[in-house]
Amino acid sequence: MSAAGDVAATLSRALDGFAPQTAIILGSGLGSLVDAVETPRRIACADIAGLPTSGVSGHAGELVAGYIGRAPVLTLSGRVHAYERGDAAVMRPYLAAFKALGVRNLVLTNAAGGVNPAFEPGDIMLLEDHINLAGLNPLVGEKGDERFVDMTNAYDPALAATVTSVADACGVAVHSGVYAWFLGPSFETPAEIRMARRLGADAVGMSTVPETILARYLGLRVVGASIITNLGAGLGAQPLSHAQTQAVASIGGARLATILQRAVAEF
Ligand code: HPA
């Protein structure tokens, strides 16, 4: 069996054959959605051979399977970032296993810096598109014509519309915008933030884009959501730090969790 097949088979056994429909990857400080998972079954990523784990603080490395409403879901707290390994495809074992388990929808959440002047810390932005500024692609080295993935509508417009209408019904404001991926782990310079804005970005961050590319390659439908934890470098007075990211993410994350909790039931 392939390595991806091995991971999927081990995970499937650990889940007693439970078949999630939606997988949700939770960014820094966004763990509160896990509390909404009913009849949770918890699996430490480190216990599944073939799954890489993150060394970033606040990223627990845990899969939780269960139900949100009637929707069977699998959450992952503790994604591994490309900057931890210098490998844009580092999340591939997770995504390939999700696909093999029957997942159809992938929700990618992240903490991001705002570059749109209308954004404030704590705001939520749904991704309508992205710009890959990292110069890396997780499909490099892939064989076959499927590697030429159409990235038009990479963020599924119908799923985004569902999230937006749920947010409206909950009275929670959400922006829609373009996320630019910088590799990190250092934050951007003020000049890079000005460049990103000129290129059409509304927010910047260090994740999500390689996962979206892999997910589209695998045929998963993608929703992306950012919590704006800070203004991009040079736009605000506050110094940037991981501690600040986590503190604001957990506040905005609770609001995003409320919306996603209702939306996944309608996917
Ligand atoms: N830049 C990149 N990633 C981030 C930021 C930022 O300003 N804030 C949270 N994640």
Side-chain angles (χ1 to χ4, degrees):
M1 205 188 291
S2 67
D6 283 346
V7 174
T10 314
L11 245 186
S12 182
R13 269 196 304 279
L15 295 173
D16 277 339
F18 175 82
Q21 198 170 34
T22 298
I24 308 169
I25 298 185
L26 298 164
S28 308
L30 293 166
S32 61
L33 189 73
V34 175
D35 302 335
V37 178
E38 291 158 35
T39 62
R41 183 188 301 255
R42 297 172 181 277
I43 298 168
C45 299
D47 291 347
I48 308 286
L51 287 182
T53 52
S54 170
V56 180
S57 60
H59 284 255
E62 187 180 54
L63 291 155
V64 178
Y67 290 86
I68 293 184
R70 288 214 198 112
V73 303
L74 182 62
T75 65
L76 168 64
S77 310
R79 64 154 55 87
V80 191
H81 301 80
Y83 64 70
E84 294 182 67
R85 311 283 173 106
D87 176 8
V90 67
M91 285 295 288
R92 186 168 181 151
Y94 285 94
L95 301 180
F98 294 170
K99 171 76 181 179
L101 289 175
V103 166
R104 297 183 57 225
N105 310 307
L106 179 67
V107 180
L108 299 171
T109 68
N110 61 56
V115 298
N116 181 323
F119 290 6
E120 287 173 21
D123 283 1
I124 297 169
M125 182 188 90
L126 287 184
L127 276 63
E128 65 182 34
D129 205 345
H130 73 226
I131 302 174
N132 181 351
L133 292 175
L136 300 173
N137 190 300
L139 299 177
V140 168
E142 196 59 37
K143 306 277 186 294
D145 288 353
E146 290 75 25
R147 71 185 130 172
F148 302 112
V149 180
D150 182 355
M151 294 299 290
T152 315
N153 292 330
Y155 299 91
D156 192 274
L159 294 183
T162 302
V163 178
T164 306
S165 72
V166 167
D168 285 350
C170 297
V172 175
V174 291
H175 304 288
S176 180
V178 174
Y179 174 97
W181 177 35
F182 283 85
L183 181 60
S186 56
F187 286 103
E188 301 72 31
T189 64
E192 287 165 347
I193 292 296
R194 290 194 298 274
M195 173 192 76
R197 182 64 188 151
R198 287 187 167 206
L199 293 178
D202 296 292
V204 293
M206 307 178 194
S207 68
T208 302
V209 167
E211 296 156 14
T212 299
I213 295 169
L214 285 166
R216 294 305 299 142
Y217 174 72
L218 294 167
L220 301 173
R221 305 196 298 170
V222 178
V223 173
S226 297
I227 299 295
I228 305 299
T229 52
N230 55 278
L231 303 182
L235 300 180
Q238 265 217 329
L240 305 185
S241 70
H242 186 57
Q244 197 267 347
T245 295
Q246 283 180 300
V248 180
S250 58
I251 300 166
R255 275 163 48 244
L256 179 59
T258 310
I259 301 168
L260 289 178
Q261 194 179 329
R262 295 193 192 189
V264 294
E266 295 181 28
F267 284 175

